[in-house]
Amino acid sequence: MDHIKLIILETSDLHGAILPIQYSSNTPANIGLAKLASYMKKIRSENEHVLVIDNGDFMQGTPLASYYFRMLRQKVHPMIIGMNKLQYDAAVLGNHEFNYGLDTLTKVAADATFPFLSCNILSGETGKPFFGTPYVIKTFSSGIKAAVLGVTTHYIPNWEKPSHIEGLIFEDAVTATSNWVKHIREVEQPDIMIVSYHGGFEVDLATGKRIEPFEKGENQAYRLCMEVEGIDVLLTGHQHRQEQQIINGVAVVQPGYKGQAIGQVTAEFVKENQQYKLQQTFPETIQTVDLTADQSLMNLIEPYEQGTQKWLDEVLGTVEGDMRIHDPFQARLAEHPMIELIHKVQMDAAHVDISSTALFHNDSPGLPSHITMRSIVSNYIYPNSLMVIEVTGEDIKQALERSASYFTLIGDEPAVSADFSRPKPQHYNYDMWEGIEYTIDLRRSPGNRIIQAMYQGEPLNTHQRYKVVMNNYRAGGGGDYLMFKGKKVIKEIQTDMTELLAAYIRKRRTIKAEVNNNWNVIIPSV
């Protein structure tokens, strides 16, 4: 009786991270594809049966990727250079793959030596998967036949610019997966059925408690395990978590983000009567911290990296005062000069007097005394542009309440609500406003915390229309700000927000670290 082992390796949510560095400080970090590469090479050298799959969101997210999109789009994307070298078998479309539009995505896909998969992102013209065949079949020398089906969270239209996904249809992920798994099982008859889903879990895997509304559908991995027959392995992502377990007989992994770890499922087969039978699967995550970066991969990326570093070190201006972020939570609890600057840039570009923005992540350093592009891209990490939309006073009040629900109380002390920390951290969904005056009272229950909301000295009028500038993600209703979805668009500023920030600082040279205290938060302990 023959026993054969298949190793399935998964990367997910790499977000442009190739080198093991933190770009804000250029210090070493336990992240990046170069570190994972050394493990991939080791596994390939020791095993005959290996599959390597990327689960999506690899194109953007680091200064290296930003530099490519600004300066080098005619060349091969650095992540594709790395993935080609490592002989990936396939990549699944993530939601961030659409951030630069279909022309750019199509070009990146054409440069890859492996297919891009997604069974539920369809062409509106043909009704078929946008990138052709949504699955791959790999038959090994032993005769073992592995099928890999790609699936993407269908919630993308709630985030992405309509122009970036024009002509596409996003089918429900569970429905599409069920249909395609059945088709593959019947037609291809694989020995193992692998689904790679750029999406995560809608329940707490420890308790089974739902952590996301059923009707939302952003994450459906638990339903895939429980409702779709025929899946042996489910590769997941999107939530930036690390998971490894068996759910309803399905081996599940999720490897975090930016290459913190690599997901691995070991599948063991036994040959009976000239046919291979899947006997058992073992899911695990391998941490990057114990790996050495692959120098040959870093050498390939070096020309891109040199250009990136030169671009990042350009000095744009200086700060008068302190605009560093010493505590990200406090920067959301009370006005901070960094947020004030973003508001000023947005209102200057849009020529309106009401603005909404967020502190996007907890590693945001703020601005040092000498401002460089490195400083800007370390704080503003998304490729956002701006939109001016027309909203009512009632819409603004609902948005303020949505933001106020970011906070919870532990005793009398404020903390981050579980709704904004699970199933993944969503600090970017807490907005702060300029051009209106408001107070958040944490002594009151969520949904009833805004006790004052004024515009030019008068209470916000429920029915009056106001022009507000915000990033395109939020203007489309992203982050469950559905009160903004479908609102009249007054103006679009297509220039990337990081370029607007850079131009604003270059023009003024000296930026004052100041706030105008137009909002405040009341907490019980004060």
Side-chain angles (χ1 to χ4, degrees), residues 138-408:
K138 186 167 184 177
T139 303
F140 294 91
S141 58
S142 62
I144 285 180
K145 192 175 184 181
V148 181
L149 174 69
V151 196
T152 308
T153 174
H154 62 255
Y155 207 67
I156 290 173
N158 292 280
W159 304 313
E160 194 53 74
K161 287 183 180 179
S163 61
H164 287 177
I165 54 175
E166 188 174 0
L168 298 181
I169 297 171
F170 294 82
E171 189 179 8
D172 177 82
V174 175
T175 301
T177 303
S178 181
N179 292 336
W180 279 102
V181 167
K182 182 180 179 182
H183 169 83
I184 294 167
R185 282 289 191 187
E186 291 177 351
V187 175
E188 305 288 356
Q189 298 183 350
D191 298 302
I192 183 169
M193 182 71 238
I194 303 158
V195 173
S196 187
Y197 168 55
H198 188 83
F201 294 93
E202 67 277 37
V203 303
D204 184 322
L205 296 182
T207 65
K209 181 179 179 182
R210 179 166 289 279
I211 54 178
E212 185 178 284
F214 178 86
E215 62 276 7
K216 185 177 181 182
E218 177 182 350
N219 298 292
Q220 298 178 302
Y222 191 74
R223 285 188 63 196
L224 291 175
C225 291
M226 302 302 293
E227 298 179 21
V228 179
E229 293 185 10
I231 301 175
D232 297 310
V233 175
L234 181 64
L235 311 178
T236 68
H238 184 57
Q239 292 173 316
H240 297 183
R241 289 159 51 178
Q242 293 191 33
E243 302 285 356
Q244 56 279 316
Q245 58 181 293
I246 304 291
I247 301 174
N248 194 32
V250 180
V252 171
V253 286
Q254 186 173 148
Y257 76 113
K258 287 198 172 181
Q260 298 170 318
I262 190 167
Q264 177 172 312
V265 177
T266 302
E268 295 186 351
F269 297 84
V270 62
K271 191 173 184 179
E272 297 177 348
N273 301 321
Q274 303 303 310
Q275 191 169 9
Y276 286 101
K277 181 180 180 181
L278 180 62
Q279 195 170 42
Q280 53 190 341
T281 52
F282 301 94
E284 58 186 317
T285 53
I286 311 300
Q287 302 303 308
T288 309
V289 65
D290 298 323
L291 304 176
T292 301
D294 181 72
Q295 189 61 51
S296 64
L297 176 54
M298 292 196 293
N299 290 342
L300 283 177
I301 305 303
E302 183 60 24
Y304 292 79
E305 178 65 7
Q306 287 180 2
T308 300
Q309 292 294 342
K310 184 177 179 180
W311 172 63
L312 288 175
D313 287 334
E314 177 192 355
V315 177
L316 307 173
T318 59
V319 172
E320 182 181 308
D322 187 358
M323 204 175 279
R324 294 169 298 166
I325 293 174
H326 303 281
D327 183 331
F329 186 72
Q330 290 300 318
R332 298 184 180 97
L333 199 60
E335 251 188 299
H336 191 280
M338 182 68 214
I339 302 301
E340 193 87 353
L341 173 63
I342 295 174
H343 283 308
K344 288 177 180 177
V345 173
Q346 292 191 166
M347 293 188 292
D348 180 74
H351 304 291
V352 297
D353 60 1
I354 304 178
S355 170
S356 172
T357 192
L359 178 65
F360 294 118
H361 63 123
N362 277 353
D363 293 324
S364 184
L367 296 180
S369 56
H370 288 82
I371 308 169
T372 62
M373 280 302 301
R374 188 185 308 278
S375 314
I376 291 176
V377 299
S378 296
N379 288 282
Y380 209 106
I381 59 175
Y382 297 113
N384 289 336
S385 58
L386 298 177
M387 297 179 72
V388 177
I389 60 174
E390 190 174 74
V391 300
T392 65
E394 179 62 25
D395 294 327
I396 294 176
K397 289 178 181 177
Q398 289 180 17
L400 291 172
E401 290 289 1
R402 162 71 177 147
S403 287
S405 68
Y406 174 80
F407 299 106
T408 189

Side-chain angles (χ1 to χ4, degrees), residues 377-522:
V377 299
S378 296
N379 288 282
Y380 209 106
I381 59 175
Y382 297 113
N384 289 336
S385 58
L386 298 177
M387 297 179 72
V388 177
I389 60 174
E390 190 174 74
V391 300
T392 65
E394 179 62 25
D395 294 327
I396 294 176
K397 289 178 181 177
Q398 289 180 17
L400 291 172
E401 290 289 1
R402 162 71 177 147
S403 287
S405 68
Y406 174 80
F407 299 106
T408 189
L409 290 174
I410 300 177
D412 284 342
E413 294 299 320
V416 179
S417 166
D419 290 342
F420 286 77
S421 57
R422 299 173 66 188
K424 71 174 182 179
Q426 299 172 54
H427 304 297
Y428 50 83
N429 282 332
Y430 169 69
D431 288 343
M432 293 158 278
W433 289 66
E434 186 58 64
I436 60 174
E437 297 80 43
Y438 62 97
T439 297
I440 298 173
D441 189 347
L442 296 188
R443 298 171 298 186
R444 304 174 69 152
S445 60
N448 191 36
R449 285 176 166 172
I450 305 301
I451 61 173
Q452 182 183 20
M454 312 281 287
Y455 173 69
Q456 295 183 347
E458 298 290 334
L460 281 173
N461 187 311
T462 301
H463 302 293
Q464 184 175 333
R465 298 184 182 280
Y466 302 87
K467 295 179 176 63
V468 182
V469 59
M470 60 186 70
N471 66 60
N472 60 282
Y473 170 77
R474 187 69 78 238
D480 291 335
Y481 284 81
L482 301 182
M483 69 291 299
F484 297 147
K485 189 175 179 63
K487 287 298 190 287
K488 181 180 179 181
V489 177
I490 304 300
K491 184 188 304 183
E492 290 189 59
I493 297 97
Q494 296 290 353
T495 306
D496 190 283
M497 187 58 188
T498 55
E499 293 298 328
L500 292 174
L501 280 160
Y504 185 93
I505 295 165
R506 279 194 195 99
K507 181 178 178 180
R508 288 157 181 80
R509 301 303 299 175
T510 299
I511 303 298
K512 289 186 178 181
E514 58 188 4
V515 298
N516 62 359
N517 299 308
N518 66 296
W519 61 271
N520 69 298
V521 178
I522 298 173

Side-chain angles (χ1 to χ4, degrees), residues 107-124:
K107 194 268 181 190
V108 171
D111 289 333
T113 57
F114 49 88
F116 280 22
L117 309 177
S118 185
C119 70
N120 64 319
I121 300 180
L122 313 177
S123 165

